[in-house]
Amino acid sequence: AVEIGLAVLSALAEAHALGVIHRAIKPANVLVIEQGGARGIKLGGFGIAKVVRESADGPTPLAMPTALGEALGTPRYLSPEMVLGQPLDGRSDVYQVGLLLFELVTGRSPFTARTPPAWMQAHTTTAPEILEHAVTARGAAPLATEERALVGKLSPVVARALRKRPAERWPSAAALAEALEACLPRERPAPQPA
């Protein structure tokens, strides 16, 4: 999950530096490519991406080109500001990466909804489930000590990415990537022979 998240965030940091907001971060747009024994992760789905307008004062966040309640994108993966038709910046993508990370770790969304309007309401009004609670409550086999420690570190990182107000999230894709990197063990154990 962390490897995929870091690859997505690297692509987003480049896009954001060029003034592009992706607006459609979801599992279907994350491509895992294996070629010649090497594994690569690509971010696709730039079809609804938008370029931030430039002004004399610098980049201006984009306003959604749709009416309130008519957000563009997959309802399960919209940021609150997309649902509300508010101006967007890179922190909207940060929220969507938080959704992606939660789903990569748990296999499900931090929200429970069944219809597009219910998903949209969840993104704007419902507190997301806490990652660490979702993992321990899933009823699967107990986690190894290292996995439990990693989930414990990831939980507050993902929670911050999923804050409703953009000002309370990680300020950029690069900042979220740095926080994810800090979750990884300093020295990874060497693989054990079989």
Side-chain angles (χ1 to χ4, degrees):
V2 174
E3 175 189 359
I4 292 170
L6 289 170
V8 168
L9 289 164
S10 175
L12 285 175
E14 288 184 39
H16 293 169
L18 297 171
V20 177
I21 300 170
H22 190 282
R23 303 192 311 168
I25 307 300
K26 59 184 178 180
N29 288 335
V30 178
L31 312 169
V32 179
I33 301 166
E34 300 209 21
Q35 189 174 25
R39 180 178 172 184
I41 299 164
K42 303 287 183 189
L43 180 60
F46 278 87
I48 66 168
K50 290 291 179 183
V51 177
V52 177
R53 289 185 295 257
E54 292 290 330
S55 71
D57 298 324
T60 303
L62 279 175
M64 288 294 295
T66 53
L68 181 62
E70 295 179 0
L72 183 63
T74 305
R76 182 176 175 152
Y77 299 101
L78 297 176
S79 68
E81 54 274 26
M82 290 173 78
V83 171
L84 298 171
Q86 296 174 342
L88 301 180
D89 61 23
R91 295 170 297 182
S92 181
D93 288 344
V94 165
Y95 179 88
Q96 292 180 322
V97 172
L99 294 170
L100 176 70
L101 288 168
F102 191 101
E103 193 165 328
L104 286 170
V105 173
T106 66
R108 61 184 175 78
S109 174
F111 303 106
T112 303
R114 293 187 178 187
T115 64
W119 283 111
M120 294 167 81
Q121 182 174 5
H123 290 302
T124 58
T125 63
T126 304
E129 186 173 4
I130 296 170
L131 179 66
E132 193 168 17
H133 296 169
V135 169
T136 57
R138 70 181 177 183
L143 296 175
T145 303
E146 301 84 25
E147 291 170 326
R148 198 171 36 253
L150 178 59
V151 169
K153 290 177 182 178
L154 282 175
S155 192
V157 171
V158 171
R160 183 171 174 188
L162 292 175
R163 299 253 172 90
K164 302 292 182 202
R165 295 172 31 160
E168 295 175 356
R169 293 183 205 138
W170 297 101
S172 65
L176 176 51
E178 187 176 314
L180 279 181
E181 291 264 359
C183 292
L184 296 172
R186 296 280 183 239
E187 293 183 31
R188 298 186 189 163
Q192 300 298 316

